[in-house]
Amino acid sequence: DVFRSRVMFPIFDASGRAVAFSGRILVPDDNAPKYINSPETPLFKKSETLYGLDRAKGSMRKYDFAVLVEGPIDLIMSHQAGFTNTVAVMGTAFTSHHVGKLMRFTNNLLVALDADEAGIASMKKTARMALRAGMDVKIAELPEGSDPADTITKDLDSWKKAIREATHVIDFLIAREGKLHGNDDRKFKQRLRSEVLPYASLIGNRIDQAHFIGKIARALSVDESIVLEELAKVAFEDDETIQSRGNASADSGGVASNIPGPT
């Protein structure tokens, strides 16, 4: 009965064995979560499960990158559109467990989450986690307020363009801050220092890091030596440390929840 009036999606592990189910509500209800998942078990943990990995791993290895979306609908639409290297998180934050699973097949991640404030916040956390592990991270810019499924349904070419023209997370954030604060030069530079520069600190490859330090310096119209001085002062707190403190709110916004397990 918990899954009544929901579309059911079987969840498979990386070997293609069914380990759980996810139910998406048919009629939107502000008092009910959009998705409900099976209870967590030794075989199914949201923080370790990537939906569609069993179908995507071959393409991820072949094309040497993975597309990350959120939820079964976005994933199925992306696969139908020909991007069979797509995987999805299951209503939870991207974790080091997810990173580890992806890095068995590729070190390149393309993030295509919802183009709203919640999606941007999730994208930033995902990028931090992946960069910290040594992945190269690009962002697909979707039409404002849309998600991958909407984009694919309305204009498949727009989706293909978003994937084709995806930019490195630092390039994406510089451009985004320019759109939001470009008319206020001081505010723009403050935002680059606080919101963009910390991502450069997570890039382990020093040559690649130097490349983006140069880009940030040019955006700030300052010498690279100044950016390097500031780089030593900025750092992100580990996202999983933050998550462990607020684990009870991991499914904020009613996006997904788990059925209580047996007592």
Side-chain angles (χ1 to χ4, degrees), residues 50 66-70 86-89 94 102 109-113 126:
L50 283 168
V67 178
L68 182 74
V69 298
E70 184 173 10
T86 304
V87 293
V89 289
F94 192 69
L102 289 178
L109 178 64
L110 191 155
V111 183
L113 302 180
T126 296

Side-chain angles (χ1 to χ4, degrees), residues 115-161:
D116 55 19
E117 287 306 313
I120 294 297
S122 181
M123 175 276 293
K124 289 180 176 180
K125 291 179 182 178
T126 296
R128 294 198 294 268
M129 190 71 65
L131 285 173
R132 188 176 280 117
M135 297 191 82
D136 189 74
V137 183
K138 290 186 175 181
I139 308 299
E141 186 169 7
L142 303 181
E144 192 70 30
S146 67
D147 60 26
D150 293 334
T151 304
I152 293 167
T153 301
K154 294 174 183 176
D155 185 1
L156 179 56
D157 287 339
S158 179
W159 170 251
K160 291 179 178 179
K161 181 180 178 181

Side-chain angles (χ1 to χ4, degrees), residues 34-240:
K34 187 175 181 180
Y35 284 95
I36 289 180
N37 299 318
S38 295
E40 295 208 347
T41 68
L43 294 177
F44 171 61
K45 293 181 175 62
K46 286 193 302 179
S47 63
E48 300 178 16
T49 301
L50 283 168
Y51 184 73
L53 181 60
D54 60 309
R55 303 294 184 94
K57 58 187 181 181
S59 292
M60 287 162 50
R61 190 179 277 124
K62 177 180 178 181
Y63 298 113
D64 195 24
F65 78 99
V67 178
L68 182 74
V69 298
E70 184 173 10
I73 296 293
D74 286 347
L75 177 132
I76 290 170
M77 293 300 294
S78 185
H79 275 246
Q80 287 182 175
F83 293 88
T84 53
N85 53 333
T86 304
V87 293
V89 289
M90 298 297 303
T92 188
F94 192 69
T95 69
S96 59
H97 293 290
H98 295 141
V99 174
K101 288 180 183 293
L102 289 178
M103 291 183 74
R104 295 175 189 172
F105 308 102
T106 180
N107 288 328
N108 301 302
L109 178 64
L110 191 155
V111 183
L113 302 180
D114 296 4
D116 55 19
E117 287 306 313
I120 294 297
S122 181
M123 175 276 293
K124 289 180 176 180
K125 291 179 182 178
T126 296
R128 294 198 294 268
M129 190 71 65
L131 285 173
R132 188 176 280 117
M135 297 191 82
D136 189 74
V137 183
K138 290 186 175 181
I139 308 299
E141 186 169 7
L142 303 181
E144 192 70 30
S146 67
D147 60 26
D150 293 334
T151 304
I152 293 167
T153 301
K154 294 174 183 176
D155 185 1
L156 179 56
D157 287 339
S158 179
W159 170 251
K160 291 179 178 179
K161 181 180 178 181
I163 299 297
R164 184 173 61 251
E165 297 181 358
T167 58
H168 190 277
V169 60
I170 291 179
D171 290 320
F172 175 85
L173 291 173
I174 291 173
R176 178 174 170 79
E177 293 301 332
K179 291 176 184 177
L180 294 174
H181 308 289
N183 293 328
D184 185 336
D185 188 58
R186 183 166 181 264
K187 178 72 172 179
F188 172 63
K189 291 179 177 180
Q190 288 175 336
R191 294 286 296 180
L192 288 191
R193 194 269 183 193
S194 64
E195 298 296 321
V196 181
L197 187 56
Y199 287 85
S201 71
L202 300 179
I203 299 175
N205 182 317
R206 292 296 176 246
I207 296 174
D208 207 26
Q209 186 184 64
H211 170 77
F212 286 106
I213 286 172
K215 284 199 168 189
I216 294 170
R218 288 191 292 275
L220 290 167
S221 300
V222 300
D223 190 86
E224 288 185 24
S225 62
I226 295 175
V227 177
L228 283 169
E229 287 178 16
E230 290 301 311
L231 187 68
K233 303 175 187 177
V234 298
F236 284 121
E237 185 176 0
D238 184 85
D239 287 297
E240 292 198 332

